[in-house]
Amino acid sequence: MSFSTSRNRLQQLEEIERDLVAVIESAGQSLLELSKEQPSEDYIISRTTEFLKGLEAVEKKLSEQISYLSNATTSHQHEAGIYGEEKKFQLVCEATANVLDRLNSLTKKEAF
């Protein structure tokens, strides 16, 4: 991942964090209004709607980030993920070399 891509992803996460703070503030404002002796129903509905929409937006953005990270980690194999295949290849090469040595020794014996 390039430096600019990393910076962009971090900026997106910072934006999500700011959105989450706004969502929590909306919830707090709703609760504060509910604690009043004569709460304003319109204000509560407005803040609750803002909370739900904000929460939905944060969830969507976080899901996009998680999806990106999942794709990034599965599209780039980790070295340990190919170790087994490299070991098999090495063993096949050694076995092939042994077979060639054996064939060469048999060919030399038949020549005598």
Side-chain angles (χ1 to χ4, degrees):
M1 180 169 22
S2 71
F3 179 71
S4 62
T5 304
S6 297
R7 184 182 320 165
N8 186 29
R9 289 287 167 188
L10 286 173
Q11 288 172 343
Q12 290 174 4
L13 288 172
E14 288 173 355
E15 181 184 328
I16 292 170
E17 183 179 22
R18 285 190 297 273
D19 292 347
L20 189 56
V21 168
V23 166
I24 293 170
E25 286 175 349
S26 292
Q29 291 168 352
S30 293
L31 292 173
L32 184 63
E33 187 66 25
L34 282 170
S35 69
K36 292 181 179 177
E37 212 170 288
Q38 300 242 330
S40 167
E41 187 175 332
D42 291 338
Y43 185 80
I44 293 169
I45 291 172
S46 168
R47 294 297 132 223
T48 303
T49 302
E50 186 179 313
F51 167 77
L52 293 172
K53 286 181 181 178
L55 189 60
E56 186 176 305
V58 166
E59 181 180 15
K60 181 180 182 229
K61 290 177 184 179
L62 282 175
S63 292
E64 290 170 357
Q65 293 291 324
I66 291 168
S67 177
Y68 170 79
L69 290 173
S70 295
N71 290 333
T73 57
T74 57
S75 65
H76 300 295
Q77 275 192 328
H78 189 272
E79 255 183 51
I82 62 171
Y83 174 77
E85 296 303 316
E86 288 178 344
K87 189 65 177 173
K88 285 179 191 175
F89 178 72
Q90 181 184 8
L91 291 173
V92 167
C93 288
E94 290 173 9
T96 304
N98 288 337
V99 168
L100 284 174
D101 287 344
R102 183 74 175 143
L103 285 173
N104 287 334
S105 69
L106 289 174
T107 306
K108 288 179 186 177
K109 286 183 182 179
E110 287 180 10
F112 290 113

Short mmCIF file of all heavy atoms in Angstrom, two decimals, residues 80-107:
data_model
loop_
_atom_site.label_atom_id
_atom_site.label_comp_id
_atom_site.label_asym_id
_atom_site.label_seq_id
_atom_site.Cartn_x
_atom_site.Cartn_y
_atom_site.Cartn_z
N ALA A 80 4.60 -16.59 5.05
CA ALA A 80 4.34 -17.86 5.73
C ALA A 80 3.31 -18.67 4.97
O ALA A 80 3.31 -19.89 5.03
CB ALA A 80 3.89 -17.63 7.17
N GLY A 81 2.44 -18.01 4.22
CA GLY A 81 1.41 -18.69 3.47
C GLY A 81 1.94 -19.50 2.31
O GLY A 81 1.32 -20.44 1.85
N ILE A 82 3.13 -19.16 1.80
CA ILE A 82 3.70 -19.89 0.68
C ILE A 82 4.86 -20.79 1.09
O ILE A 82 5.43 -21.48 0.26
CB ILE A 82 4.14 -18.93 -0.44
CG1 ILE A 82 5.22 -17.97 0.03
CG2 ILE A 82 2.95 -18.19 -1.00
CD1 ILE A 82 5.83 -17.16 -1.09
N TYR A 83 5.20 -20.81 2.36
CA TYR A 83 6.32 -21.62 2.83
C TYR A 83 6.12 -23.09 2.48
O TYR A 83 7.03 -23.74 2.00
CB TYR A 83 6.51 -21.46 4.34
CG TYR A 83 7.57 -22.39 4.88
CD1 TYR A 83 8.91 -22.10 4.69
CD2 TYR A 83 7.23 -23.56 5.54
CE1 TYR A 83 9.89 -22.96 5.16
CE2 TYR A 83 8.20 -24.43 6.01
CZ TYR A 83 9.53 -24.12 5.83
OH TYR A 83 10.50 -24.97 6.28
N GLY A 84 4.93 -23.60 2.70
CA GLY A 84 4.64 -25.01 2.43
C GLY A 84 4.85 -25.35 0.96
O GLY A 84 5.43 -26.39 0.63
N GLU A 85 4.41 -24.47 0.08
CA GLU A 85 4.58 -24.70 -1.36
C GLU A 85 6.04 -24.64 -1.76
O GLU A 85 6.50 -25.43 -2.59
CB GLU A 85 3.76 -23.68 -2.17
CG GLU A 85 2.26 -23.79 -1.95
CD GLU A 85 1.72 -25.18 -2.28
OE1 GLU A 85 2.10 -25.75 -3.32
OE2 GLU A 85 0.91 -25.69 -1.48
N GLU A 86 6.79 -23.71 -1.16
CA GLU A 86 8.22 -23.63 -1.45
C GLU A 86 8.94 -24.90 -0.99
O GLU A 86 9.82 -25.41 -1.68
CB GLU A 86 8.83 -22.40 -0.78
CG GLU A 86 8.44 -21.10 -1.43
CD GLU A 86 9.03 -19.89 -0.73
OE1 GLU A 86 9.48 -20.01 0.43
OE2 GLU A 86 9.03 -18.82 -1.34
N LYS A 87 8.54 -25.40 0.16
CA LYS A 87 9.16 -26.62 0.69
C LYS A 87 8.86 -27.81 -0.21
O LYS A 87 9.74 -28.62 -0.52
CB LYS A 87 8.66 -26.87 2.12
CG LYS A 87 9.37 -27.96 2.85
CD LYS A 87 10.83 -27.59 3.07
CE LYS A 87 11.52 -28.67 3.88
NZ LYS A 87 12.94 -28.45 3.97
N LYS A 88 7.61 -27.93 -0.68
CA LYS A 88 7.24 -29.01 -1.60
C LYS A 88 8.07 -28.92 -2.88
O LYS A 88 8.56 -29.93 -3.39
CB LYS A 88 5.75 -28.94 -1.95
CG LYS A 88 4.82 -29.39 -0.87
CD LYS A 88 3.38 -29.24 -1.34
CE LYS A 88 2.40 -29.43 -0.20
NZ LYS A 88 1.03 -29.18 -0.63
N PHE A 89 8.22 -27.70 -3.41
CA PHE A 89 8.99 -27.51 -4.63
C PHE A 89 10.44 -27.95 -4.41
O PHE A 89 11.03 -28.63 -5.27
CB PHE A 89 8.93 -26.05 -5.07
CG PHE A 89 9.75 -25.75 -6.29
CD1 PHE A 89 9.35 -26.19 -7.54
CD2 PHE A 89 10.93 -25.02 -6.20
CE1 PHE A 89 10.10 -25.93 -8.66
CE2 PHE A 89 11.69 -24.75 -7.31
CZ PHE A 89 11.28 -25.20 -8.55
N GLN A 90 10.99 -27.57 -3.29
CA GLN A 90 12.37 -27.95 -2.96
C GLN A 90 12.50 -29.48 -2.90
O GLN A 90 13.45 -30.06 -3.43
CB GLN A 90 12.79 -27.32 -1.63
CG GLN A 90 14.21 -27.63 -1.23
CD GLN A 90 14.57 -27.06 0.14
OE1 GLN A 90 13.70 -26.55 0.84
NE2 GLN A 90 15.84 -27.15 0.49
N LEU A 91 11.54 -30.15 -2.27
CA LEU A 91 11.58 -31.61 -2.17
C LEU A 91 11.44 -32.27 -3.54
O LEU A 91 12.12 -33.27 -3.83
CB LEU A 91 10.48 -32.10 -1.22
CG LEU A 91 10.68 -31.76 0.27
CD1 LEU A 91 9.44 -32.15 1.06
CD2 LEU A 91 11.92 -32.44 0.81
N VAL A 92 10.59 -31.71 -4.40
CA VAL A 92 10.43 -32.25 -5.75
C VAL A 92 11.73 -32.09 -6.53
O VAL A 92 12.16 -33.00 -7.25
CB VAL A 92 9.24 -31.58 -6.47
CG1 VAL A 92 9.24 -31.88 -7.96
CG2 VAL A 92 7.93 -32.01 -5.85
N CYS A 93 12.38 -30.95 -6.38
CA CYS A 93 13.67 -30.73 -7.07
C CYS A 93 14.72 -31.74 -6.59
O CYS A 93 15.47 -32.31 -7.40
CB CYS A 93 14.17 -29.31 -6.84
SG CYS A 93 13.21 -28.06 -7.72
N GLU A 94 14.79 -31.98 -5.30
CA GLU A 94 15.73 -32.95 -4.75
C GLU A 94 15.41 -34.36 -5.23
O GLU A 94 16.31 -35.12 -5.61
CB GLU A 94 15.73 -32.89 -3.22
CG GLU A 94 16.36 -31.63 -2.67
CD GLU A 94 16.21 -31.50 -1.16
OE1 GLU A 94 15.77 -32.47 -0.50
OE2 GLU A 94 16.54 -30.43 -0.64
N ALA A 95 14.13 -34.70 -5.26
CA ALA A 95 13.73 -36.03 -5.74
C ALA A 95 14.07 -36.19 -7.21
O ALA A 95 14.56 -37.25 -7.64
CB ALA A 95 12.24 -36.24 -5.50
N THR A 96 13.86 -35.15 -8.00
CA THR A 96 14.19 -35.19 -9.42
C THR A 96 15.70 -35.37 -9.61
O THR A 96 16.14 -36.16 -10.45
CB THR A 96 13.70 -33.91 -10.12
OG1 THR A 96 12.31 -33.77 -9.90
CG2 THR A 96 13.99 -33.95 -11.61
N ALA A 97 16.48 -34.66 -8.83
CA ALA A 97 17.94 -34.80 -8.91
C ALA A 97 18.36 -36.21 -8.54
O ALA A 97 19.24 -36.80 -9.20
CB ALA A 97 18.61 -33.77 -8.00
N ASN A 98 17.74 -36.81 -7.54
CA ASN A 98 18.05 -38.19 -7.15
C ASN A 98 17.70 -39.17 -8.26
O ASN A 98 18.44 -40.11 -8.54
CB ASN A 98 17.32 -38.56 -5.85
CG ASN A 98 17.90 -37.88 -4.63
OD1 ASN A 98 19.05 -37.47 -4.63
ND2 ASN A 98 17.09 -37.75 -3.60
N VAL A 99 16.55 -38.98 -8.90
CA VAL A 99 16.14 -39.86 -10.00
C VAL A 99 17.12 -39.74 -11.15
O VAL A 99 17.53 -40.75 -11.75
CB VAL A 99 14.69 -39.54 -10.45
CG1 VAL A 99 14.35 -40.21 -11.76
CG2 VAL A 99 13.71 -39.92 -9.36
N LEU A 100 17.54 -38.52 -11.48
CA LEU A 100 18.51 -38.32 -12.56
C LEU A 100 19.84 -39.00 -12.23
O LEU A 100 20.45 -39.64 -13.10
CB LEU A 100 18.73 -36.83 -12.82
CG LEU A 100 17.62 -36.12 -13.59
CD1 LEU A 100 17.89 -34.61 -13.65
CD2 LEU A 100 17.50 -36.67 -15.00
N ASP A 101 20.30 -38.86 -10.99
CA ASP A 101 21.54 -39.53 -10.57
C ASP A 101 21.41 -41.04 -10.72
O ASP A 101 22.33 -41.72 -11.21
CB ASP A 101 21.90 -39.16 -9.13
CG ASP A 101 22.41 -37.75 -8.98
OD1 ASP A 101 22.78 -37.14 -10.00
OD2 ASP A 101 22.42 -37.25 -7.83
N ARG A 102 20.28 -41.56 -10.30
CA ARG A 102 20.04 -43.01 -10.37
C ARG A 102 20.01 -43.48 -11.83
O ARG A 102 20.60 -44.51 -12.17
CB ARG A 102 18.73 -43.34 -9.66
CG ARG A 102 18.41 -44.79 -9.61
CD ARG A 102 19.29 -45.49 -8.60
NE ARG A 102 18.84 -46.87 -8.51
CZ ARG A 102 19.64 -47.88 -8.35
NH1 ARG A 102 20.92 -47.69 -8.21
NH2 ARG A 102 19.17 -49.09 -8.29
N LEU A 103 19.33 -42.72 -12.70
CA LEU A 103 19.28 -43.06 -14.12
C LEU A 103 20.67 -43.01 -14.74
O LEU A 103 21.04 -43.88 -15.54
CB LEU A 103 18.33 -42.13 -14.87
CG LEU A 103 16.84 -42.36 -14.67
CD1 LEU A 103 16.04 -41.25 -15.34
CD2 LEU A 103 16.43 -43.71 -15.22
N ASN A 104 21.44 -41.99 -14.38
CA ASN A 104 22.81 -41.87 -14.90
C ASN A 104 23.66 -43.05 -14.45
O ASN A 104 24.44 -43.60 -15.24
CB ASN A 104 23.46 -40.56 -14.47
CG ASN A 104 22.90 -39.37 -15.22
OD1 ASN A 104 22.42 -39.52 -16.34
ND2 ASN A 104 22.98 -38.20 -14.62
N SER A 105 23.51 -43.47 -13.20
CA SER A 105 24.30 -44.60 -12.72
C SER A 105 23.87 -45.90 -13.41
O SER A 105 24.70 -46.75 -13.73
CB SER A 105 24.22 -44.73 -11.20
OG SER A 105 22.94 -45.12 -10.80
N LEU A 106 22.58 -46.07 -13.67
CA LEU A 106 22.10 -47.26 -14.38
C LEU A 106 22.60 -47.26 -15.84
O LEU A 106 22.94 -48.30 -16.39
CB LEU A 106 20.58 -47.34 -14.35
CG LEU A 106 19.94 -47.68 -13.00
CD1 LEU A 106 18.42 -47.57 -13.10
CD2 LEU A 106 20.34 -49.07 -12.54
N THR A 107 22.60 -46.10 -16.46
CA THR A 107 23.06 -45.98 -17.85
C THR A 107 24.55 -46.33 -17.93
O THR A 107 24.98 -47.01 -18.86
CB THR A 107 22.82 -44.55 -18.36
OG1 THR A 107 21.45 -44.22 -18.17
CG2 THR A 107 23.16 -44.42 -19.83
#
